[in-house]
Amino acid sequence: MTTLKELAKLLNISVSTVSKALNDSHEISENTKKRVYELAEKLNYKPNRIAQQLKTNKTKTIGVILPTVTNPFFAEVLHGIETAATSSDYDIIVCLSNESLGKELRSLELLSNGSVDGFIMAVARESQVEEESGHIKSVIDNKIPVLMFDRVVNEIICDKVIVDDFQSVYEATEYLIKKEKRKNILLVSNIEELSVGKLRTKGYRKALEEANLQPNILKLDNVEDVEDKIYEYLKDNGKTDAIISIDHITGVIAINMAKKLGKSIPRDLSVIGFGYEHTHLLSSPKISIIHQKAFEIGEMSVTLLIDNLNTENHTLQTIVVPSELKFSESTI
Amino acid sequence: MTTLKELAKLLNISVSTVSKALNDSHEISENTKKRVYELAEKLNYKPNRIAQQLKTNKTKTIGVILPTVTNPFFAEVLHGIETAATSSDYDIIVCLSNESLGKELRSLELLSNGSVDGFIMAVARESQVEEESGHIKSVIDNKIPVLMFDRVVNEIICDKVIVDDFQSVYEATEYLIKKEKRKNILLVSNIEELSVGKLRTKGYRKALEEANLQPNILKLDNVEDVEDKIYEYLKDNGKTDAIISIDHITGVIAINMAKKLGKSIPRDLSVIGFGYEHTHLLSSPKISIIHQKAFEIGEMSVTLLIDNLNTENHTLQTIVVPSELKFSESTI
DNA sequence: TTGTAAGCGTTATCAC
DNA sequence: GTGATAACGCTTACAA
């Protein structure tokens, strides 16, 4: 790679002159600038990023720690993060915790050595279950800003971008009760142990309580037997007239199982699930979805973190990104 | 952040002694080492990564450029890449081209300034359509190793990790013809312009040709009207007795549409699609899938690239990762 | 307008 | 066993 030194030597001027010329300093004559530009162009000179980082003590890099990226929600958030970061001239280093506390901890530690200016993260499942967050606190204590999104830790004070988990499910449930006159609404959940899962279930319970209806919750822990479990439940509980799935997959499966049992959707059964960009394409009849604005969550996270990095008196805040209830044509 | 200098000052010894002690040099006395270790531990000293990178001229970072990450295939590849990179002590900087040539070009350029030791990439759709690859060649000419996976450019000579696109579809088609005695096999495709799409279609054609059957190809360009197009096709072509989808989404939709038309699967219609980890969960009856080993592709890519980075006489190679034909219970 | 020199935090060479 | 010094490539007072 071409360096300033090489350019300087070839042009018979000093390194600092070259540096200033390339930074378009007013100190340098137009003539010299021109000579420098041309040679730099010719030799395809690019300032060494590492050296700049060392000098300025800024990496312009964000560490992004995600539980997984095969879940479309996190994939879409990553998309938003990458887009916003790029447009602010930041790079992102991505680590996947695979829902493991240990991996999350190691990633944070490894990148806390000057590799990144700050972190954007969603807490690993294990960290939430174990209620362990000392590793995150320690990063913040070391003056490296952290932003948490979606799955957050209440005890930790930092910027947060969250979804209206409680509210969206509350409203969806209320809609089923009031508009569609449903009385036996089943909640299907495979994320009960996550902060977001708890909030969503809470929203469901609240709406039912207000209508004096009984909650029915089907907890699933193993993705592989979801089909059977739902099928059995629907067979044994013929009165079920609506299903709310609080994840992005069991809703589609519920529709398939209901069809298998000869139920007409949405006449006999309404189904609302969480979903993202293409979820609706995969079910027929179309599932109604609570659409989390994952891309926007990613974008907002970057904006907020960068503000924290660049603003002297940044005030920590929690932003709630409202979800959008998207009714399928057939349900409405 | 604590630096060597600070440790040195506090211990009243020189920076170089501290450095050597921390690197467990035999030159340093056990006693000194102990004092250094303890203070470093206490002050949570971590060697500044940027300084090390500048010194060694190695970033231990891989630039990963993906067309998108909301496609489960690329998400899973990324998972494999992250896993393998982490276990080899490499970080990854992720850029998404969003299928755009311009973005791909800018990402490559931006990271070619010493930010990464090498690249792993799948070419953007636009780059393939426009047959533009000068930007990639120029990176390689600058002595930065590039590894391409899945979507590759034949003209560029570099390490490659690819899928057996031709072979897998050829075999799947052959299976439908010979074992299931299907005669009217439809190929559904929304990736016709990609190198991988062309290869898959070729495999299909070859198998049909050998059996003296006519190809029927339904090209879809807009995800939103896939349902209607498939529905119409199946309605107008009642003799269709098998469908091969060469992407990861239209197969599931085809099953839904066939059911809507009252067809029995797999009796009236066999469906084989491309799929990944959880694809089969989303359809009922279960779709048969050509399972691309996305995670392994990611892992292999990292292994091969790192070998290139660290081996003096690395020989460029192309690795083919065979797919696995997974028949649903109901089809077999 | 240009150049000198110090410094970012680390490692490595060489002297003491 | 320990320390002084230079170097990686860049930026930036300060000097000329």
Side-chain angles (χ1 to χ4, degrees):
Chain A
M1 279 197 6
T2 317
T3 65
L4 287 184
K5 212 196 231 175
E6 285 166 34
L7 294 179
K9 195 171 214 169
L10 288 168
L11 292 168
N12 261 315
I13 54 180
S14 79
V15 170
S16 60
T17 305
V18 179
S19 171
K20 287 172 186 165
L22 287 170
N23 289 311
D24 202 16
S25 160
H26 56 272
E27 297 176 27
I28 306 297
S29 74
E30 285 307 319
N31 182 34
T32 308
K33 279 186 190 171
K34 188 153 167 272
R35 289 177 60 218
V36 173
Y37 289 151
E38 280 169 2
L39 187 64
E41 178 79 9
K42 192 174 146 207
L43 299 186
N44 192 24
Y45 169 79
K46 299 205 197 74
N48 182 308
R49 184 96 185 289
I50 305 296
Q52 284 179 322
Q53 290 176 356
L54 183 61
K55 183 69 195 168
T56 61
N57 202 22
K58 292 219 155 53
T59 61
K60 293 270 255 169
T61 303
I62 297 170
V64 177
I65 301 183
L66 304 176
T68 163
V69 79
T70 43
N71 173 324
F73 171 69
F74 289 113
E76 189 64 22
V77 171
L78 178 57
H79 185 193
I81 291 176
E82 201 274 347
T83 304
T86 299
S87 78
S88 296
D89 261 333
Y90 274 75
D91 286 336
I92 57 173
I93 290 185
V94 174
C95 294
L96 306 177
S97 66
N98 292 317
E99 305 286 10
S100 137
L101 167 58
K103 179 80 194 305
E104 177 176 285
L105 189 152
R106 258 168 284 137
S107 300
L108 280 173
E109 282 209 334
L110 279 174
L111 296 181
S112 295
N113 59 359
S115 295
V116 302
D117 294 341
F119 289 99
I120 292 177
M121 68 180 299
V123 180
R125 182 182 287 242
E126 194 187 349
S127 311
Q128 288 214 321
V129 174
E130 308 274 333
E131 298 184 344
E132 179 57 57
S133 61
H135 55 305
I136 305 175
K137 185 155 185 316
S138 124
V139 171
I140 297 174
D141 289 344
N142 271 310
K143 306 279 178 237
I144 306 181
V146 171
L147 180 145
M148 313 205 332
F149 73 90
D150 191 53
R151 301 186 197 161
V152 301
V153 179
N154 288 329
E155 290 69 38
I156 290 194
I157 296 163
C158 65
D159 282 320
K160 290 170 188 169
V161 175
I162 56 176
V163 172
D164 57 343
D165 291 295
F166 174 87
Q167 191 62 21
S168 60
V169 175
Y170 172 80
E171 284 171 14
T173 312
E174 198 183 31
Y175 172 88
L176 288 173
I177 297 170
K178 296 199 175 156
K179 296 277 152 84
E180 301 209 350
K181 310 295 178 201
R182 305 293 172 164
K183 298 217 174 311
N184 293 285
I185 306 172
L186 172 69
L187 181 110
V188 180
S189 162
N190 67 359
I191 52 170
E192 200 53 35
E193 72 278 33
L194 298 181
S195 56
V196 295
K198 292 199 178 81
L199 285 168
R200 291 173 196 175
T201 305
K202 237 184 192 168
Y204 163 80
R205 285 184 187 279
K206 175 94 179 303
L208 286 185
E209 205 171 283
E210 289 179 4
N212 268 316
L213 293 173
Q214 284 306 309
N216 296 291
I217 298 180
L218 183 59
K219 286 189 196 171
L220 306 160
D221 18 58
N222 178 3
V223 268
E224 291 302 330
D225 63 3
V226 168
E227 264 200 357
D228 295 343
K229 287 268 180 62
I230 295 180
Y231 185 84
E232 291 303 326
Y233 183 93
L234 289 179
K235 215 172 72 179
D236 298 347
N237 301 73
K239 289 199 299 185
T240 304
D241 53 12
I243 293 181
I244 291 190
S245 151
I246 62 172
D247 58 73
H248 65 104
I249 194 163
T250 54
V252 175
I253 296 176
I255 287 190
N256 284 334
M257 292 305 101
K259 277 196 296 186
K260 199 165 172 183
L261 284 163
K263 287 184 185 288
S264 160
I265 295 168
R267 198 195 61 202
D268 304 336
L269 188 75
S270 291
V271 181
I272 298 182
F274 274 76
Y276 319 103
E277 218 188 346
H278 289 152
T279 309
H280 65 285
L281 293 177
L282 293 171
S283 81
S284 169
K286 297 271 162 284
I287 187 172
S288 293
I289 57 173
I290 296 171
H291 180 240
Q292 297 181 289
K293 305 258 184 57
F295 187 88
E296 286 82 351
I297 292 170
E299 283 186 316
M300 297 239 47
S301 300
V302 171
T303 309
L304 196 49
L305 179 69
I306 292 184
D307 185 75
N308 189 350
L309 293 174
N310 295 332
T311 312
E312 206 50 53
N313 289 326
H314 173 82
T315 45
L316 296 178
Q317 51 198 294
T318 295
I319 295 181
V320 179
V321 179
S323 303
E324 196 182 347
L325 208 48
K326 281 190 177 168
F327 295 105
S328 68
E329 322 82 58
S330 45
T331 322
I332 215 158
Chain B
M1 280 199 2
T2 317
T3 65
L4 287 184
K5 214 196 228 173
E6 285 165 34
L7 295 180
K9 196 171 214 169
L10 288 168
L11 292 169
N12 261 315
I13 54 180
S14 78
V15 170
S16 50
T17 304
V18 178
S19 172
K20 285 173 187 164
L22 288 170
N23 288 310
D24 201 17
S25 160
H26 57 271
E27 297 178 34
I28 306 297
S29 73
E30 286 307 318
N31 182 35
T32 308
K33 279 186 191 171
K34 189 155 168 271
R35 289 177 60 216
V36 173
Y37 289 150
E38 279 170 2
L39 187 63
E41 178 79 9
K42 190 173 148 206
L43 298 185
N44 192 23
Y45 168 81
K46 298 205 196 75
N48 183 308
R49 183 97 184 288
I50 305 297
Q52 285 180 321
Q53 290 175 354
L54 182 62
K55 186 68 193 170
T56 61
N57 203 23
K58 291 221 155 54
T59 61
K60 292 272 255 170
T61 302
I62 298 170
V64 177
I65 301 182
L66 304 175
T68 164
V69 78
T70 43
N71 173 324
F73 172 69
F74 289 113
E76 188 65 22
V77 171
L78 178 57
H79 184 193
I81 291 176
E82 201 274 346
T83 304
T86 298
S87 78
S88 296
D89 261 331
Y90 273 74
D91 287 335
I92 57 174
I93 289 185
V94 174
C95 294
L96 305 177
S97 67
N98 292 317
E99 305 287 10
S100 138
L101 167 58
K103 178 81 193 307
E104 176 176 285
L105 189 152
R106 260 168 282 135
S107 300
L108 280 173
E109 281 209 335
L110 280 173
L111 296 182
S112 296
N113 58 2
S115 295
V116 302
D117 294 340
F119 289 99
I120 292 177
M121 69 181 297
V123 180
R125 183 181 286 243
E126 193 187 350
S127 311
Q128 288 214 320
V129 173
E130 308 274 334
E131 298 185 346
E132 179 58 57
S133 61
H135 55 304
I136 304 174
K137 185 157 182 317
S138 125
V139 171
I140 297 175
D141 289 345
N142 272 309
K143 307 277 178 239
I144 306 182
V146 172
L147 180 146
M148 313 204 332
F149 73 89
D150 191 53
R151 302 187 196 161
V152 301
V153 179
N154 289 328
E155 290 69 37
I156 291 194
I157 296 163
C158 64
D159 282 318
K160 289 170 188 169
V161 175
I162 57 175
V163 172
D164 58 342
D165 292 295
F166 174 87
Q167 191 63 20
S168 59
V169 176
Y170 172 79
E171 283 172 13
T173 312
E174 200 184 31
Y175 173 89
L176 288 173
I177 297 169
K178 296 199 174 153
K179 295 277 152 82
E180 301 210 349
K181 310 294 178 200
R182 307 293 172 164
K183 299 214 171 316
N184 293 285
I185 305 172
L186 172 69
L187 181 110
V188 180
S189 162
N190 68 0
I191 51 170
E192 200 52 36
E193 72 278 32
L194 297 181
S195 57
V196 294
K198 292 200 178 82
L199 285 169
R200 291 173 195 175
T201 305
K202 235 185 194 168
Y204 163 80
R205 285 184 186 280
K206 174 96 180 301
L208 286 185
E209 205 172 283
E210 289 180 2
N212 268 317
L213 293 173
Q214 284 305 311
N216 295 290
I217 298 180
L218 183 60
K219 286 188 196 173
L220 306 161
D221 18 60
N222 177 3
V223 267
E224 290 303 329
D225 64 2
V226 167
E227 266 201 357
D228 294 345
K229 287 268 180 62
I230 294 181
Y231 185 85
E232 291 304 324
Y233 184 93
L234 288 180
K235 213 173 72 178
D236 298 347
N237 301 72
K239 287 200 299 186
T240 304
D241 54 13
I243 293 181
I244 291 191
S245 153
I246 63 171
D247 59 72
H248 66 104
I249 194 163
T250 53
V252 175
I253 296 177
I255 286 189
N256 284 333
M257 293 304 101
K259 276 195 296 187
K260 198 166 171 180
L261 284 164
K263 287 183 185 288
S264 161
I265 295 168
R267 198 195 59 204
D268 305 336
L269 189 76
S270 289
V271 181
I272 298 182
F274 274 77
Y276 319 103
E277 216 188 346
H278 289 153
T279 309
H280 64 285
L281 293 176
L282 293 170
S283 80
S284 168
K286 297 270 160 285
I287 187 172
S288 293
I289 57 174
I290 295 170
H291 179 241
Q292 297 182 290
K293 304 258 184 57
F295 187 88
E296 285 83 350
I297 291 171
E299 283 186 317
M300 297 239 47
S301 300
V302 171
T303 309
L304 196 48
L305 179 68
I306 292 183
D307 184 75
N308 189 348
L309 293 174
N310 296 331
T311 312
E312 206 50 54
N313 289 325
H314 173 83
T315 45
L316 296 177
Q317 50 196 296
T318 296
I319 295 181
V320 179
V321 179
S323 304
E324 195 181 347
L325 208 48
K326 280 191 179 168
F327 296 105
S328 67
E329 320 82 57
S330 44
T331 323
I332 213 157

